[in-house]
Amino acid sequence: MSVSTTSTSTNSGSANPGPNPASARLTRLLVFVFAVTAGSSVGGLYYLQPLLHEVAGGLRISTATAALLVSASQVGYVAGLALLVPLGDFLERRRMVPALLAASVVALGLSAAAPNFPILLIGMFVTGITASAAQVVIPWAAALAEPERRGQIVGTVMSGLLLGILSSRVLSGVIAQFSGWRTVLVVAAALQLVMSASVYLLTPVTGRPAAGERYREVLVSILTLIRTHPALRHRMALGFIGMACFSMVWTSLAFLLAGAHGSSFHYSQFVIGLFGIAGVAGALGAPVVGRFADRGHLRVVTTLMWVVLLASWGLLAWGGYSIVALIVALLVFDFGIQGVQLSNQSAIYALDPAARSRLTTAYMVSYFLGGVAGSVTAGAAYESGGWALVCEIGVAATILGCVLWAVFSRHIPSGATTADTPD
């Protein structure tokens, strides 16, 4: 298989993306379309998460079996990150993204109509693959943005992605309360259909790449990028830790709020889903972080976000006894997580403008592997020691992240303002 490319280089010093006339057309409407596309795509991974008990009852399967649906969508997502997202550097994104969204419509429709568990499992796996569209539009927006606004634009689109993760739980709970889990998937499919048409009709044509490169070489080039750029390896490690913390909190939070392991809270599934609103509010601060990164303060921003994340664990621990403290803690925690994520992506996108999709693949595969690790750790930790143990592990992981960043930042040249290493 062959794909097209504007450059076969993986070295930021030799990459020459040329002029970017399309950047002037990156209007607020387009940024909004990119943000909603990212959020609606990745939301497909989480729509059924708070509804597994209802799905299990409807299909007459055990809760443990129903939980495999979430795992299937996550595995599909990682596969899409590894195998499809790199093509964003070589294919026309204006066609690639709508095609992925259209495939998502089919997958969600199949899942909504699934007569049995195996068909639903396949549908959710394919939904996870197509959700990788979220990680194609982020570097696309970065490529279209003016350099002085890139951090702000990426922050806005990333806010859309995180809002999709958090709000999908809220929306699915509300819809399922009245119409059931199948209606949730139908509504999700309808949204993806609208976004597919919107992306195709509203985004600018970026031109056809010229030279050819084999697909296998594209995948191998990702490993070359990891080997070539120490900053990428550093940010992959920090992203792994950050997402592990995020996954630990939001996985174990449902247990805490439901009253498991001696918790004093006893909320319904609907109310538990509403706590995603606190995370949504915290994520809205990301564009502010992006503007500071655009002004050349990326190192300071990264340091501050890790400090905020570390401080949030104290609030989270207190939140095990106070619902007000817990809500405030989630606001601070999600702001810190989003800030860490934005600083990481701002740094890696500046490494090689011609390879942003492949850089995204390398980083996001590590990022979501951290999410898997966090989920597994959260379940075992909460069962063994409750919310307190989860917070203790989170503090240890965040301290590790702070130490790694302190070591990494010592090697950043004093004149580097956009990336961790000079071009």
PDB file of all heavy atoms in Angstrom, residues 371-389:
ATOM      1  N   GLY A 371      -3.856   5.370  30.540  1.00  0.00           N
ATOM      2  CA  GLY A 371      -5.243   5.265  30.975  1.00  0.00           C
ATOM      3  C   GLY A 371      -5.625   3.853  31.350  1.00  0.00           C
ATOM      4  O   GLY A 371      -6.326   3.634  32.358  1.00  0.00           O
ATOM      5  N   VAL A 372      -5.182   2.887  30.556  1.00  0.00           N
ATOM      6  CA  VAL A 372      -5.455   1.483  30.870  1.00  0.00           C
ATOM      7  C   VAL A 372      -4.814   1.112  32.208  1.00  0.00           C
ATOM      8  O   VAL A 372      -5.429   0.476  33.068  1.00  0.00           O
ATOM      9  CB  VAL A 372      -4.941   0.564  29.748  1.00  0.00           C
ATOM     10  CG1 VAL A 372      -5.077  -0.900  30.147  1.00  0.00           C
ATOM     11  CG2 VAL A 372      -5.711   0.829  28.448  1.00  0.00           C
ATOM     12  N   ALA A 373      -3.551   1.528  32.375  1.00  0.00           N
ATOM     13  CA  ALA A 373      -2.849   1.236  33.631  1.00  0.00           C
ATOM     14  C   ALA A 373      -3.568   1.873  34.817  1.00  0.00           C
ATOM     15  O   ALA A 373      -3.688   1.265  35.888  1.00  0.00           O
ATOM     16  CB  ALA A 373      -1.409   1.741  33.548  1.00  0.00           C
ATOM     17  N   GLY A 374      -4.058   3.098  34.632  1.00  0.00           N
ATOM     18  CA  GLY A 374      -4.760   3.775  35.713  1.00  0.00           C
ATOM     19  C   GLY A 374      -6.054   3.092  36.086  1.00  0.00           C
ATOM     20  O   GLY A 374      -6.392   2.981  37.274  1.00  0.00           O
ATOM     21  N   SER A 375      -6.808   2.613  35.091  1.00  0.00           N
ATOM     22  CA  SER A 375      -8.072   1.928  35.360  1.00  0.00           C
ATOM     23  C   SER A 375      -7.853   0.641  36.146  1.00  0.00           C
ATOM     24  O   SER A 375      -8.551   0.360  37.120  1.00  0.00           O
ATOM     25  CB  SER A 375      -8.789   1.615  34.038  1.00  0.00           C
ATOM     26  OG  SER A 375      -9.140   2.790  33.364  1.00  0.00           O
ATOM     27  N   VAL A 376      -6.877  -0.131  35.701  1.00  0.00           N
ATOM     28  CA  VAL A 376      -6.582  -1.395  36.384  1.00  0.00           C
ATOM     29  C   VAL A 376      -6.131  -1.130  37.815  1.00  0.00           C
ATOM     30  O   VAL A 376      -6.577  -1.783  38.764  1.00  0.00           O
ATOM     31  CB  VAL A 376      -5.510  -2.187  35.614  1.00  0.00           C
ATOM     32  CG1 VAL A 376      -5.085  -3.416  36.406  1.00  0.00           C
ATOM     33  CG2 VAL A 376      -6.031  -2.600  34.233  1.00  0.00           C
ATOM     34  N   THR A 377      -5.259  -0.143  37.975  1.00  0.00           N
ATOM     35  CA  THR A 377      -4.751   0.193  39.307  1.00  0.00           C
ATOM     36  C   THR A 377      -5.869   0.688  40.218  1.00  0.00           C
ATOM     37  O   THR A 377      -5.932   0.327  41.401  1.00  0.00           O
ATOM     38  CB  THR A 377      -3.658   1.268  39.203  1.00  0.00           C
ATOM     39  OG1 THR A 377      -2.593   0.791  38.377  1.00  0.00           O
ATOM     40  CG2 THR A 377      -3.111   1.629  40.582  1.00  0.00           C
ATOM     41  N   ALA A 378      -6.766   1.513  39.660  1.00  0.00           N
ATOM     42  CA  ALA A 378      -7.845   2.083  40.472  1.00  0.00           C
ATOM     43  C   ALA A 378      -8.752   1.002  41.027  1.00  0.00           C
ATOM     44  O   ALA A 378      -9.122   1.035  42.209  1.00  0.00           O
ATOM     45  CB  ALA A 378      -8.657   3.071  39.635  1.00  0.00           C
ATOM     46  N   GLY A 379      -9.127   0.023  40.189  1.00  0.00           N
ATOM     47  CA  GLY A 379     -10.013  -1.034  40.649  1.00  0.00           C
ATOM     48  C   GLY A 379      -9.404  -1.834  41.790  1.00  0.00           C
ATOM     49  O   GLY A 379     -10.049  -2.077  42.815  1.00  0.00           O
ATOM     50  N   ALA A 380      -8.150  -2.230  41.612  1.00  0.00           N
ATOM     51  CA  ALA A 380      -7.472  -3.021  42.642  1.00  0.00           C
ATOM     52  C   ALA A 380      -7.239  -2.191  43.901  1.00  0.00           C
ATOM     53  O   ALA A 380      -7.405  -2.675  45.022  1.00  0.00           O
ATOM     54  CB  ALA A 380      -6.152  -3.554  42.108  1.00  0.00           C
ATOM     55  N   ALA A 381      -6.844  -0.922  43.720  1.00  0.00           N
ATOM     56  CA  ALA A 381      -6.532  -0.077  44.870  1.00  0.00           C
ATOM     57  C   ALA A 381      -7.780   0.221  45.681  1.00  0.00           C
ATOM     58  O   ALA A 381      -7.750   0.180  46.922  1.00  0.00           O
ATOM     59  CB  ALA A 381      -5.881   1.222  44.402  1.00  0.00           C
ATOM     60  N   TYR A 382      -8.889   0.531  45.021  1.00  0.00           N
ATOM     61  CA  TYR A 382     -10.101   0.867  45.759  1.00  0.00           C
ATOM     62  C   TYR A 382     -10.623  -0.341  46.517  1.00  0.00           C
ATOM     63  O   TYR A 382     -11.088  -0.222  47.656  1.00  0.00           O
ATOM     64  CB  TYR A 382     -11.178   1.394  44.808  1.00  0.00           C
ATOM     65  CG  TYR A 382     -12.279   2.114  45.562  1.00  0.00           C
ATOM     66  CD1 TYR A 382     -12.230   3.486  45.747  1.00  0.00           C
ATOM     67  CD2 TYR A 382     -13.346   1.415  46.116  1.00  0.00           C
ATOM     68  CE1 TYR A 382     -13.220   4.156  46.460  1.00  0.00           C
ATOM     69  CE2 TYR A 382     -14.340   2.070  46.833  1.00  0.00           C
ATOM     70  CZ  TYR A 382     -14.268   3.434  47.006  1.00  0.00           C
ATOM     71  OH  TYR A 382     -15.244   4.075  47.729  1.00  0.00           O
ATOM     72  N   GLU A 383     -10.514  -1.508  45.926  1.00  0.00           N
ATOM     73  CA  GLU A 383     -10.971  -2.715  46.608  1.00  0.00           C
ATOM     74  C   GLU A 383     -10.114  -3.009  47.830  1.00  0.00           C
ATOM     75  O   GLU A 383     -10.605  -3.501  48.845  1.00  0.00           O
ATOM     76  CB  GLU A 383     -10.946  -3.901  45.645  1.00  0.00           C
ATOM     77  CG  GLU A 383     -11.501  -5.187  46.237  1.00  0.00           C
ATOM     78  CD  GLU A 383     -11.555  -6.314  45.221  1.00  0.00           C
ATOM     79  OE1 GLU A 383     -11.294  -6.052  44.034  1.00  0.00           O
ATOM     80  OE2 GLU A 383     -11.848  -7.448  45.618  1.00  0.00           O
ATOM     81  N   SER A 384      -8.825  -2.686  47.752  1.00  0.00           N
ATOM     82  CA  SER A 384      -7.908  -2.989  48.855  1.00  0.00           C
ATOM     83  C   SER A 384      -7.924  -1.931  49.955  1.00  0.00           C
ATOM     84  O   SER A 384      -7.902  -2.272  51.139  1.00  0.00           O
ATOM     85  CB  SER A 384      -6.475  -3.130  48.322  1.00  0.00           C
ATOM     86  OG  SER A 384      -6.393  -4.177  47.377  1.00  0.00           O
ATOM     87  N   GLY A 385      -7.944  -0.656  49.556  1.00  0.00           N
ATOM     88  CA  GLY A 385      -7.822   0.387  50.575  1.00  0.00           C
ATOM     89  C   GLY A 385      -8.730   1.565  50.405  1.00  0.00           C
ATOM     90  O   GLY A 385      -8.547   2.595  51.096  1.00  0.00           O
ATOM     91  N   GLY A 386      -9.693   1.472  49.501  1.00  0.00           N
ATOM     92  CA  GLY A 386     -10.654   2.548  49.338  1.00  0.00           C
ATOM     93  C   GLY A 386     -10.074   3.789  48.676  1.00  0.00           C
ATOM     94  O   GLY A 386      -8.987   3.773  48.096  1.00  0.00           O
ATOM     95  N   TRP A 387     -10.807   4.888  48.796  1.00  0.00           N
ATOM     96  CA  TRP A 387     -10.439   6.147  48.149  1.00  0.00           C
ATOM     97  C   TRP A 387      -9.105   6.677  48.664  1.00  0.00           C
ATOM     98  O   TRP A 387      -8.327   7.269  47.902  1.00  0.00           O
ATOM     99  CB  TRP A 387     -11.544   7.165  48.410  1.00  0.00           C
ATOM    100  CG  TRP A 387     -11.351   8.512  47.796  1.00  0.00           C
ATOM    101  CD1 TRP A 387     -11.046   9.672  48.433  1.00  0.00           C
ATOM    102  CD2 TRP A 387     -11.491   8.851  46.411  1.00  0.00           C
ATOM    103  NE1 TRP A 387     -10.975  10.707  47.547  1.00  0.00           N
ATOM    104  CE2 TRP A 387     -11.248  10.231  46.294  1.00  0.00           C
ATOM    105  CE3 TRP A 387     -11.791   8.117  45.265  1.00  0.00           C
ATOM    106  CZ2 TRP A 387     -11.293  10.902  45.064  1.00  0.00           C
ATOM    107  CZ3 TRP A 387     -11.842   8.771  44.041  1.00  0.00           C
ATOM    108  CH2 TRP A 387     -11.604  10.150  43.949  1.00  0.00           C
ATOM    109  N   ALA A 388      -8.813   6.446  49.923  1.00  0.00           N
ATOM    110  CA  ALA A 388      -7.557   6.938  50.497  1.00  0.00           C
ATOM    111  C   ALA A 388      -6.356   6.331  49.789  1.00  0.00           C
ATOM    112  O   ALA A 388      -5.383   7.037  49.475  1.00  0.00           O
ATOM    113  CB  ALA A 388      -7.503   6.630  51.992  1.00  0.00           C
ATOM    114  N   LEU A 389      -6.398   5.020  49.516  1.00  0.00           N
ATOM    115  CA  LEU A 389      -5.279   4.370  48.839  1.00  0.00           C
ATOM    116  C   LEU A 389      -5.146   4.872  47.401  1.00  0.00           C
ATOM    117  O   LEU A 389      -4.028   5.059  46.900  1.00  0.00           O
ATOM    118  CB  LEU A 389      -5.464   2.850  48.855  1.00  0.00           C
ATOM    119  CG  LEU A 389      -4.336   2.029  48.207  1.00  0.00           C
ATOM    120  CD1 LEU A 389      -2.997   2.342  48.860  1.00  0.00           C
ATOM    121  CD2 LEU A 389      -4.644   0.526  48.298  1.00  0.00           C
TER     122      LEU A 389
END
